[in-house]
Amino acid sequence: MPISSRSPPPAKTAARPSRPFSKSVRRISPGAEAPSFEVSMSYDDPKTHRGNCPCCTPYVWGAYPPKREHLSRRGFFGAGAALTAGMLTALGVSRAGGDALAEAAAALAFAAPAIAEGSTRRARAATGGVTVYRGGTIRTMNSALPVAEAIAIKGGRILAVGGEAEVVSRAGGGARIVDLGGKTMLPGFIDCHGHVSLTALLMGFQNLAPIPAGPIGSIADIQSELLKYRERTGGGRGGWILGANYDDSLLAEKRAITRTDLDEVSTEQPVLAYHASLHVVVVNSYALNLLGITADTPDPAGGVIRRWPGTNEPNGILEEGAISLALPRLPEVSKDELLDLLDKVQDQYAAWGITTAQDGATRRPDYDLLTLAAERDRLKIDVIGYPFFTHIDDLARGDVEVQKDYNGFKIGGIKLMLDGSPQAKTAWLTEPYEVVPPGFKPDYRGYRIVDDLTAANYVDDAFARGWQVYAHCNGDAAADQFIAAIEKATAKYGPGDRRATVIHAQTLREDQLDRMAKLGVMPSYFVTHTFYWGDWHRDSVLGPARAARISPVRSTVDRGMRYTLHNDSPVAPSDCRMLLWSATNRRTRSGEVLGEDQRISAYDALRGITIDAAFQHFEDDIKGSIEEGKLADLVITAEDPETIDPSGLRDLQIVETIKRGETIYAA
Ligand SMILES: [Zn+2]
Ligand SMILES: [Zn+2]
């Protein structure tokens, strides 16, 4: 497939008045259009909504009317409450306090960041001198010239690529010459789906993720990590000891952690740990006391305060709606702190070779953080945001131009979410789950989030406005819904270069890939599912046959389609080396190969984080390959990923990461 340099269709926000989505968005209510389950399983019943993707978290939060007093609070959590208000309005939910909510929503329109004139990172890069890299393997990811001897960069862009003599001559006399010393140079890696702002927020917590994503193997590890947090923060954040990403299903003890476990950390200050699903928190006794949660506290709407068996005494676990008893009481995170956390995330991404990141379900506080970072010139890597579909009206009302780069931050299009996650058995499938969750009928297939007409309306509107549209679809039924919506809109508006993308795409069928190829719809695979949840998918979620073809990348390569690979940070760390390793090896945690037939070559895996990734972002004219005129976004690795044994790809050494000609990471 030729590389297109076509620019995306212009945004039509000015010409076309905003359509009132609030009228078209309907939530599925049990008994109406929702499939019938023995246990109510719908978006309206968050108790049973056990999604495991941060994409759906705002949904869960959005299910509860915020208290009025939260609307005036400052800081992230305050903004989160205001966000909730906006979402409720967007969803057409009218409850008590609706006026205050509508007011809050009206103030939410996205606005372009005010970039200060002067010496920005980019302005400085543009005036940089010439540097020549030679003496290594330069893998360009440009099929017309796959390997080059040398490249020259100038002013943050690639000046020349090719034979050494020619490049050196074009570089001119004063060029700085860098010897790669036999190392490999590649285009900078592109994160094609993740949540950079949410990752930043969670950076403010101690990482309690299981090995290898974090340091945790047991409850004792959780306790010692939380003590480290107290140590490194000088007593905790606002007195709180905070952890995130614990996963009790992967603890040695194989049990939920409770207040008793966290009381071992402290009985004198509050402790809170966020579950990896973001749908559960656990607090210690001190925190329960501080929050006023006692045996007499009733379960809040849409939530559960877990109790010790046979008693009313809370055991510290707060689920779904009950999380809102704790969240608003957490210490506020100042803008400056958030910017510092975002710096840390960028440093981490850069250490993995990433030069462009994604904010794949941008909500209001995320937007505020990213525009502030752009205004203050704090984005050392580019970030592309995709506003969550409850914010489309904000996008239409504001003066932000889609696909316009605001000093490192741009809005790429919009993000829909059409189902849950397979690991939590909330993905919407066409065939039943291998082992259905307790209490469900044997034909349980997960569930949708919006009805077909609503999904079609979103896609129709995105086509009309010229907005690129992404849709989170883990289950094949969700993908059916999205593909049908694209078919309908394509029939109405005609074919075009729209690059609509199925995000996660875990269970795409062969016939769906055929339809997508015809429509120009791309899959973006969360391919590290084969490792993180591969055994679980085979044994409990999908059964061996369907699990063997999750993330069907080989089927996609064989069709000559474009595709990308992602980690969905913070669900999994945004380590691109894991993507290369998983796509080529497909080994589960237990070491078994899951779907040998779907393994691809290292070159094809690299495509999914370089040239095709740039294509997915409508940036293949400036990124994704080492070609004259493109940005000098580069990564240097100690080994050549195309020639080492694929089993070693997860340990590939990133030596240096270069963004617009500037070194942003050096080992
Ligand atoms: Zn998602
Ligand atoms: Zn996501």
Side-chain angles (χ1 to χ4, degrees), residues 527-587:
V527 72
T528 42
H529 256 264
T530 51
F531 171 74
Y532 291 112
W533 300 280
D535 296 311
W536 172 244
H537 288 332
R538 182 197 57 226
D539 299 339
S540 184
V541 179
L542 298 164
R546 278 183 298 174
R549 59 179 317 289
I550 59 166
S551 291
V553 191
R554 174 92 251 162
S555 297
T556 313
V557 171
D558 288 348
R559 281 175 172 79
M561 295 170 70
R562 289 184 181 263
Y563 54 88
T564 63
L565 308 174
H566 69 256
N567 272 310
D568 203 15
S569 174
V571 177
S574 202
D575 184 345
C576 290
R577 301 169 308 167
M578 278 298 284
L579 296 172
L580 299 177
W581 178 79
S582 278
T584 51
N585 292 278
R586 292 181 71 99
R587 286 201 184 272

Side-chain angles (χ1 to χ4, degrees), residues 121 196 203 339-354 378-381 654 657 663-666:
R121 190 179 280 275
V196 75
M203 273 249 176
L339 285 172
D340 289 345
L341 293 169
L342 187 62
D343 283 346
K344 282 190 187 171
V345 173
Q346 293 182 78
D347 288 343
Q348 180 66 80
Y349 275 41
W352 285 322
I354 295 172
R378 297 273 289 262
L379 293 176
K380 65 176 75 169
I381 61 177
I654 310 289
T657 305
T663 296
I664 56 168
Y665 169 77

Side-chain angles (χ1 to χ4, degrees), residues 488-549:
K488 196 171 161 186
T490 303
K492 180 171 166 187
Y493 296 98
D497 182 13
R498 300 187 177 94
R499 308 183 197 183
T501 304
V502 177
I503 300 290
H504 307 319
Q506 287 304 338
T507 53
L508 284 181
R509 305 182 311 262
E510 298 291 318
D511 65 292
Q512 290 179 320
L513 283 167
D514 287 337
R515 288 160 73 196
M516 288 166 62
K518 220 169 116 190
L519 293 162
V521 176
M522 297 177 69
S524 181
Y525 294 113
F526 189 168
V527 72
T528 42
H529 256 264
T530 51
F531 171 74
Y532 291 112
W533 300 280
D535 296 311
W536 172 244
H537 288 332
R538 182 197 57 226
D539 299 339
S540 184
V541 179
L542 298 164
R546 278 183 298 174
R549 59 179 317 289

Side-chain angles (χ1 to χ4, degrees), residues 53-56 193-195 358 360-361 415 417 472 503-504 526 566-571:
C53 171
C55 300
C56 68
H193 179 72
H195 307 268
Q358 192 186 89
K415 168 74 182 298
M417 200 181 79
H472 160 126
I503 300 290
H504 307 319
F526 189 168
H566 69 256
N567 272 310
D568 203 15
S569 174
V571 177

